[in-house]
Amino acid sequence: MLKTTILKKLKQWRLVAVIAKDVRRSALKERMLYGFLLLALLFVLMANVPFIVKDPKVFDNQPPEVAAVQIGFVSINIFILLIAIFISLTTLQNFLAKEKLALLLSKPVWRWQIIEGIILGLYQMIFLNWFLLTAGVWLVVFSHTKSLSFYIWQGMSVTALLAFFYVTLVVFFYCILPNIMAGLFTFFMLIAGFGVNFAHDMFARGPYPFFLRKSLILGLNVLPKINDLWGVSMRSLKLFRIDVHPTPIILHTILLIIVLNILTSFKFRRFGRT
Amino acid sequence: MKERLVLVKTRQLSKQYAFQSFFKRKNVEAVKGLDLEIYDGEIFGFVGPNGAGKTTTLNMLVGITEATGGEIEMFGRPFKAGDIEPLRYIGYVPETTSLPDYFTIVGILDFYAQLFGIPKKIKRERIGRLLDMVGLFDERYTLIKNLSMGQRRLVDFMQALINDPRLVLLDEPTVYLDPVIMERFRLILNTLRKQGKAILMSSHILPEVEKLSDRVAIIHRGVLLKVGPKKDFMQHGSIEKEFLKLVKDNHS
């Protein structure tokens, strides 16, 4: 009985994987992606500079390895955000166009399988990009220091988690507003995410009534904690000694991704249905 | 005489679209109280002018659009948007070709076959048979983007047949076809009819409907004007004349 149920569930997810493969393929065909990727790799290659410039004052007396990782960290975080938002948006526009969606809906596929397939495909696309860029930084550091520097992969993995989060947000907003506004909302959400700690302190100290204060803090807890995630990443990359506990922050982000996925699947039930 | 099986039955099927402007809400009835029956082994011509409600009806039959009234019975069971089980036995060709152009012909057929969960061996055999049938075997590894519009339409048609459906819904299938491909298309439809499949073909190219259909329905402004065997539509010489007369009468 249990075996049959598990097999049935696995079969359902097999269809998700089939759709994901198509979405990944479609995303990787976007020319804009290669523009972003080329620029990102050029920026990543700049991580060579601290090893070449012998004057330590240029990089605030930091060891070349640290300066190189810092350049890599900034480049990857900027370009992963751009790739996640713009490529996800264009892929969604292609994939959820009325005609293409109609053809998919005429097949024996549940709607949740379609949207989860799309999300999984975009995750695969963003993971590939993240892997390439991180490998670029790692190779630069490895070529100069001859050390395996596994901490680079560990630290950058937080960026991969953030990239999944950006993609999830874009898809979620696209299911509510199927146009370019989905990208703008994602940006707004991320900007709000940067201010969470500040707003949290403000509401905790301010003269607000108990109920309002609790509600505001609860609302803030739902927002992504981008600053904290970057803190976790930077600590792992040995850039700064930041006092953060990675586990709750990472779990919070994973939980947000799961909840957003469920909400997106729920919202997609009515998508394009007239 | 062998009794024919009703594959699709609609009772008072209706669809109302709501258009919301800034100041007011307007309801448009795209389909009004449609009663249809489609049998196995027949080609059913579903004709009407542009905007008559043909595509809306087909979309309701495949579950893409939700009906606002009436009932659909598919293969003897009630059907509504969201039911995926009957879709295993339906093939659908949409009005416009919308295949992803980064696939080869074999690639796209393989993709849709996987959505139906068709085992590898059967899939390979079926794709080969379909390619032979439509005459695109030599182009099987050509990217969709490099195909002509007529060839793309044939690929659209192949994807609809990949699951060996009992019911094939064709929305304006002949729009992009040249006379040579058209001839092949007629042969294919006749073969499918002989295999006992039901084919619902929506079109406004009436000579084609006349050549192919066993039964015809004329729809205008969402209302079914006439339905019956083809001979009932030939009283004025052709379906086209009957169609124009019915539409004019309905206008007045």
Side-chain angles (χ1 to χ4, degrees):
Chain A
M1 178 77 179
L2 184 72
K3 201 179 160 188
T4 327
T5 316
I6 292 170
L7 276 175
K8 211 174 162 186
K9 287 278 167 212
L10 278 176
K11 220 174 170 183
Q12 287 185 345
W13 279 96
R14 201 183 57 80
L15 279 189
V16 174
V18 170
I19 295 170
K21 195 176 157 192
D22 184 27
V23 173
R24 187 192 66 218
R25 219 164 153 170
S26 163
L28 292 178
K29 292 278 170 187
E30 288 296 333
R31 284 188 188 159
M32 201 194 332
L33 172 67
Y34 296 98
F36 279 136
L37 207 57
L38 191 71
L39 266 176
L41 283 170
L42 283 175
F43 270 80
V44 163
L45 281 179
M46 275 168 50
N48 271 305
V49 177
F51 294 103
I52 298 162
V53 178
K54 298 291 177 198
D55 186 359
K57 279 181 208 156
V58 178
F59 294 101
D60 290 336
N61 290 320
Q62 291 184 102
E65 190 180 333
V66 175
V69 170
Q70 211 167 355
I71 292 170
F73 172 78
V74 173
S75 312
I76 293 178
N77 271 287
I78 290 172
F79 282 98
I80 281 292
L81 172 67
L82 293 175
I83 290 171
I85 293 181
F86 288 105
I87 304 301
S88 298
L89 262 183
T90 42
T91 310
L92 282 169
Q93 273 170 341
N94 286 340
F95 217 84
L96 297 181
K98 203 178 159 194
E99 295 83 14
K100 184 150 188 195
L101 186 63
L103 210 49
L104 263 181
L105 289 173
S106 71
K107 309 292 177 231
V109 183
W110 295 107
R111 277 177 170 255
W112 72 262
Q113 286 173 318
I114 296 175
I115 196 66
E116 286 306 321
I118 290 171
I119 294 174
L120 189 65
L122 291 173
Y123 283 172
Q124 289 172 0
M125 176 275 295
I126 204 77
F127 181 80
L128 266 172
N129 286 292
W130 167 85
F131 182 83
L132 266 176
L133 296 177
T134 307
V137 177
W138 180 81
L139 272 173
V140 168
V141 174
F142 176 73
S143 65
H144 290 283
T145 61
K146 303 287 180 255
S147 75
L148 286 173
S149 316
F150 285 125
Y151 71 92
I152 293 179
W153 291 97
Q154 192 194 336
M156 292 297 186
S157 62
V158 180
T159 309
L161 184 69
L162 262 172
F164 292 156
F165 180 67
Y166 301 149
V167 168
T168 316
L169 267 182
V170 175
V171 181
F172 172 70
F173 284 126
Y174 197 86
C175 283
I176 297 171
L177 260 172
N179 54 40
I180 201 86
M181 285 301 284
L184 277 178
F185 277 129
T186 307
F187 272 121
F188 288 148
M189 189 63 139
L190 297 179
I191 292 165
F194 278 115
V196 166
N197 291 348
F198 170 73
H200 206 281
D201 287 351
M202 206 175 79
F203 291 136
R205 286 181 202 151
Y208 303 104
F210 177 78
F211 179 71
L212 183 66
R213 189 167 57 208
K214 281 283 171 199
S215 314
L216 286 169
I217 288 174
L218 191 76
L220 284 173
N221 284 339
V222 175
L223 288 171
K225 291 173 176 157
I226 311 285
N227 272 343
D228 290 346
L229 277 164
W230 277 12
V232 172
S233 183
M234 284 193 271
R235 199 181 78 149
S236 302
L237 289 169
K238 299 175 185 171
L239 295 180
F240 302 101
R241 282 191 191 138
I242 300 167
D243 184 27
V244 281
H245 298 288
T247 317
I249 297 163
I250 286 171
L251 283 179
H252 174 259
T253 312
I254 292 172
L255 189 71
L256 265 181
I257 290 174
I258 293 170
V259 170
L260 278 171
N261 262 289
I262 294 168
L263 287 176
T264 307
S265 292
F266 189 73
K267 194 73 202 158
F268 193 70
R269 288 191 315 164
R270 308 273 331 152
F271 187 89
R273 190 169 268 174
T274 43
Chain B
M1 202 178 130
K2 192 186 154 197
E3 196 162 319
R4 296 169 74 189
L5 212 65
V6 181
L7 295 189
V8 184
K9 195 173 186 177
T10 68
R11 263 184 243 108
Q12 290 298 302
L13 187 67
S14 308
K15 177 68 194 175
Q16 199 173 59
Y17 289 109
F19 295 100
Q20 182 83 48
S21 73
F22 197 74
F23 295 107
K24 60 179 180 182
R25 188 185 161 95
K26 194 181 163 194
N27 287 327
V28 174
E29 268 197 288
V31 177
K32 300 170 199 168
L34 200 69
D35 290 322
L36 282 180
E37 273 184 9
I38 299 161
Y39 303 97
D40 61 343
E42 77 167 356
I43 299 178
F44 187 86
F46 193 47
V47 298
N50 289 329
K54 303 187 295 290
T55 300
T56 304
T57 307
L58 257 67
N59 283 347
M60 284 192 281
L61 292 181
V62 85
I64 297 167
T65 301
E66 227 166 338
T68 46
E71 289 164 18
I72 301 172
E73 217 174 79
M74 195 72 77
F75 312 120
R77 286 177 181 194
F79 172 80
K80 59 179 179 1
D83 288 351
I84 65 163
E85 212 38 51
L87 298 180
R88 293 189 190 285
Y89 313 103
I90 299 176
Y92 171 65
V93 175
E95 194 177 8
T96 46
T97 178
S98 55
L99 299 167
D101 54 8
Y102 44 85
F103 272 116
T104 60
I105 298 180
V106 170
I108 191 78
L109 294 177
D110 185 73
F111 171 69
Y112 286 114
Q114 284 186 66
L115 293 184
F116 282 100
I118 300 169
K120 259 186 192 169
K121 204 179 157 192
I122 299 173
K123 182 171 70 183
R124 209 172 304 144
E125 182 264 327
R126 204 172 280 171
I127 290 174
R129 194 158 41 84
L130 284 172
L131 284 165
D132 272 337
M133 188 172 80
V134 302
L136 285 178
F137 193 83
D138 293 337
E139 285 87 8
R140 62 191 184 281
Y141 296 120
T142 310
L143 288 172
I144 303 283
K145 66 177 174 189
N146 296 331
L147 297 175
S148 69
M149 281 310 276
Q151 287 173 323
R152 282 186 202 199
R153 207 58 183 149
L154 287 176
V155 180
D156 268 332
F157 195 55
M158 278 195 281
Q159 66 77 26
L161 298 178
I162 195 72
N163 54 328
D164 193 20
R166 290 174 69 189
L167 169 70
V168 187
L169 304 173
L170 307 172
D171 198 355
E172 306 283 0
T174 53
V175 173
Y176 306 105
L177 306 186
D178 62 44
V180 180
I181 298 181
M182 194 64 227
E183 184 57 34
R184 195 179 299 154
F185 179 74
R186 271 183 226 125
L187 279 171
I188 297 167
L189 285 196
N190 281 323
T191 314
L192 294 175
R193 171 170 42 195
K194 279 177 197 156
Q195 288 171 359
K197 297 183 195 309
I199 298 156
L200 170 59
M201 185 171 92
S202 119
S203 182
H204 55 246
I205 303 174
L206 301 175
E208 276 317 315
V209 177
E210 198 173 304
K211 276 181 196 160
L212 287 163
S213 306
D214 302 306
R215 288 197 309 130
V216 179
I218 295 179
I219 184 174
H220 180 52
R221 291 178 174 169
V223 180
L224 192 66
L225 299 183
K226 187 174 178 178
V227 60
K230 187 165 68 181
K231 63 174 174 26
D232 291 0
F233 289 78
M234 305 300 278
Q235 290 151 353
H236 297 93
S238 68
I239 293 181
E240 192 164 355
K241 284 181 182 158
E242 179 76 10
F243 171 81
L244 290 171
K245 185 186 169 294
L246 280 170
V247 170
K248 263 183 205 162
D249 288 353
N250 198 259
H251 262 299
S252 57

